[in-house]
Amino acid sequence: MSARSHARVDRLFTASLTGFVLVYLLLIVAMIAADSTYTTPAALGAALASPEIRHAFFLSFATSTVTALLSVLFAIPIGYALSRHHFRGKALVDGVLDIPIVLPPMVIGLSLLILFQTAPGRAVERVVPFTYAVPGVILAQFAVACAFAVRTMRVTFDAIDPRCERVAWTLGCSRGRAFWYVVLPEAGRGVLSAGMLAWARALGEFGPVLVFAGTTRMRTEVLPSTIFLELSIGDLDAAVAVSLILVTAAVAVLVVARAFGLRGASL
Amino acid sequence: MMGPRIQARGLTLRAGDFRLAGIDFEIDAGEYVVLMGRTGSGKTCLLEALCGLLPLEGGSIAIDGRDVTDASPGERGIGYVPQDGALFHSMTVAENLGFALFVQGRAAAERTARAGELAALLGIESLLERRPQHLSGGERQRVALGRALAAEPRVLCLDEPLSAVDEEARDALCTLLADVRERTGVSVLHVTHSRVEAERLGDRVLQLESGSL
């Protein structure tokens, strides 16, 4: 192949890469722009003034925050164990932890519903009611969001040189203290990244929440359920207004993540 | 008469695909011993086993006559400097240097004073407030050396400490290592591929080949 045709093929390759990037970028921007231009500030204000939507707004943000905290609490030790320890059946454990990521959301909700119909589930339910209740919203969000937090923490701990802990052991640290004083501070950005990702996933979770916790107005309705409910009664303005709230929250998460320089596994 | 500082008898360990068997050696107080061998011959594993970071299948290790075979890494009195330092990135240089004293629960003033002493010994006084990310290879190795010396170990285990630094820094670090040994009286086991380092620093060279010394 001559040098000139080489250059032509290279240009064609670069142009095709640019084309794919632009098409997908355009689709994302067009979707957000369509939402933004469809509604008016007045319609947005009216939607936010609705007591039902305000309740859903506060419930969504409160449950997502609790879910994010719980997810990080579980993801840190699970991610660390998977990153540092080798044990029989590790591949199986690793695979099982990915199930919530690949499972259809409705199936997760249905599985939770069935789990709480079993004898142990009913026993738990007698102490804390989950089905069609607010704790159920959190559990349904947690079941999915935690898996993403675990992946992020695993990648974070993989990137931290294990020799740092080993040096800390030689300086008198127990394994726990080495983790606390050396590993965890180095994983700070990963923890933040995992928390934000879990929060964003929880905020957008619809299927599992709908099936397991229901979507009762002023009780278990969260913002994604509001979009579903408003669409089902034909109020497109309210549905779009709520969608914009979720888009704003998602963009805010991305902006904060980029501001903190988080470019881990998922953000 | 005083016995050897380190006495290793019949060390046997398995790591990955290879096995070290029947390793015997002694290092005297203040002696500088260089451990050489091909890549993958198990030099790092032997060093880590000595530090208590890799379990032994057999054999015993004594330091100043005290059996430390089953002691935890922090109870052996061994300072460990891994390849490229493995500094704690969330801490400043001063905090890295004072970490051993922090673990021992010493007061902040004592830690600061010790970090200052070590910085003076290693020529890194101007770096105390910096983070490891902003240090050159040679500076990192100095900090790693200081962090290991902070707890006043009787033995220093250095794993290819000069491999990731340029020619000039290597020369300066060689001089520094000789000086540190001279001033602290610490015994050193230094892993390297370099004959030049071995000849310049070592009182004695141990060669690891086919799983034995």
Side-chain angles (χ1 to χ4, degrees):
Chain A
M1 198 185 274
S2 72
R4 191 177 291 176
S5 54
H6 233 310
R8 202 168 48 236
V9 170
D10 282 354
R11 274 200 301 276
L12 196 66
F13 179 68
T14 310
S16 65
L17 291 182
T18 312
F20 280 109
V21 171
L22 284 179
V23 167
Y24 192 50
L25 208 61
L26 196 67
L27 175 69
I28 296 168
V29 173
M31 284 193 305
I32 296 172
D35 280 348
S36 315
T37 52
Y38 185 86
T39 190
T40 59
L44 194 63
L48 285 173
S50 150
E52 289 85 3
I53 291 180
R54 277 165 62 177
H55 183 273
F57 179 88
F58 287 116
L59 185 64
S60 277
F61 279 77
T63 53
S64 299
T65 304
V66 173
T67 298
L69 292 173
L70 282 175
S71 297
V72 167
L73 187 70
F74 277 79
I76 290 172
I78 296 172
Y80 185 66
L82 289 175
S83 173
R84 293 294 192 266
H85 296 282
H86 299 283
F87 51 89
R88 195 174 291 174
K90 183 177 172 180
L92 181 69
V93 172
D94 215 13
V96 171
L97 287 167
D98 275 342
I99 287 177
I101 294 174
V102 295
L103 217 55
M106 289 287 190
V107 175
I108 292 178
L110 186 64
S111 306
L112 282 171
L113 200 59
I114 293 169
L115 174 66
F116 277 82
Q117 297 311 310
T118 61
R122 280 200 302 270
V124 171
E125 196 93 73
R126 275 193 287 275
V127 184
V128 183
F130 277 91
T131 315
Y132 303 119
V134 172
V137 175
I138 294 168
L139 185 58
Q141 291 174 340
F142 173 79
V144 180
C146 187
F148 287 89
V150 166
R151 285 293 118 202
T152 307
M153 287 317 304
R154 162 95 191 256
V155 172
T156 300
F157 290 127
D158 281 347
I160 296 173
D161 188 350
R163 289 174 309 165
C164 289
E165 290 139 86
R166 298 157 86 81
V167 169
W169 300 346
T170 65
L171 296 173
C173 276
S174 62
R175 287 178 183 241
R177 291 184 89 192
F179 173 75
W180 188 256
Y181 292 125
V182 174
V183 182
L184 206 50
E186 294 210 11
R189 286 184 169 196
V191 172
L192 202 59
S193 183
M196 291 175 81
L197 181 66
W199 187 84
R201 288 295 315 184
L203 190 70
E205 215 52 69
F206 171 62
V209 178
L210 178 74
V211 175
F212 183 53
T215 180
T216 312
R217 293 223 112 152
M218 305 298 281
R219 272 194 67 200
T220 58
E221 180 189 352
V222 285
L223 287 176
S225 332
T226 307
I227 297 174
F228 171 73
L229 288 175
E230 297 299 343
L231 277 176
S232 67
I233 57 170
D235 189 349
L236 198 55
D237 275 337
V240 172
V242 173
S243 298
L244 276 178
I245 295 170
L246 289 174
V247 168
T248 309
V251 171
V253 165
L254 276 178
V255 168
V256 174
R258 293 284 186 253
F260 278 101
L262 306 177
R263 294 176 194 278
S266 319
L267 280 171
Chain B
M1 194 179 119
M2 269 183 67
R5 169 80 33 103
I6 299 183
Q7 190 169 39
R9 287 278 168 265
L11 301 187
T12 304
L13 63 109
R14 188 187 295 276
D17 293 337
F18 65 86
R19 185 167 187 265
L20 299 181
I23 304 279
D24 290 308
F25 66 92
E26 288 179 357
I27 299 176
D28 288 330
E31 192 180 18
Y32 202 116
V33 173
V34 176
L35 177 62
M36 298 188 76
R38 284 199 213 120
T39 303
S41 60
K43 303 184 295 294
T44 296
C45 289
L46 181 57
L47 212 63
E48 291 189 349
L50 213 57
C51 294
L53 300 170
L54 261 188
L56 288 173
E57 284 184 352
S60 66
I61 301 165
I63 294 179
D64 285 337
R66 182 173 72 97
D67 188 340
V68 296
T69 313
D70 298 318
S72 71
E75 293 168 340
R76 295 182 177 217
I78 298 180
Y80 174 49
V81 179
Q83 211 173 346
D84 79 35
L87 296 177
F88 307 147
H89 284 81
S90 59
M91 302 178 197
T92 62
V93 167
E95 287 165 341
N96 268 278
L97 294 176
F99 187 75
L101 272 62
F102 169 77
V103 174
Q104 292 167 10
R106 308 279 190 87
E110 197 179 342
R111 298 201 300 267
T112 308
R114 182 76 178 127
E117 272 170 38
L118 289 163
L121 175 71
L122 301 166
I124 49 173
E125 296 103 316
S126 60
L127 308 177
L128 284 172
E129 292 314 310
R130 283 213 212 152
R131 301 235 167 220
Q133 300 89 308
H134 304 117
L135 301 177
S136 68
E139 289 168 342
R140 273 189 208 146
Q141 286 303 68
R142 284 169 190 254
V143 177
L145 189 61
R147 181 182 58 184
L149 287 170
E152 299 179 344
R154 280 166 288 182
V155 180
L156 259 186
C157 286
L158 312 176
D159 190 2
E160 301 193 36
L162 311 180
S163 64
V165 298
D166 59 40
E167 197 76 29
E168 202 179 325
R170 185 173 302 148
D171 194 50
L173 276 168
C174 272
T175 308
L176 179 71
L177 284 170
D179 187 43
V180 164
R181 188 268 292 258
E182 195 67 35
R183 288 165 72 170
T184 61
V186 70
S187 303
V188 183
L189 182 59
H190 175 140
V191 166
T192 185
H193 286 288
S194 162
R195 288 233 157 263
V196 178
E197 278 173 39
E199 281 166 15
R200 184 159 170 196
L201 290 165
D203 297 323
R204 190 154 54 94
V205 174
L206 298 174
Q207 189 77 33
L208 192 59
E209 239 170 73
S210 311
S212 55
L213 277 176

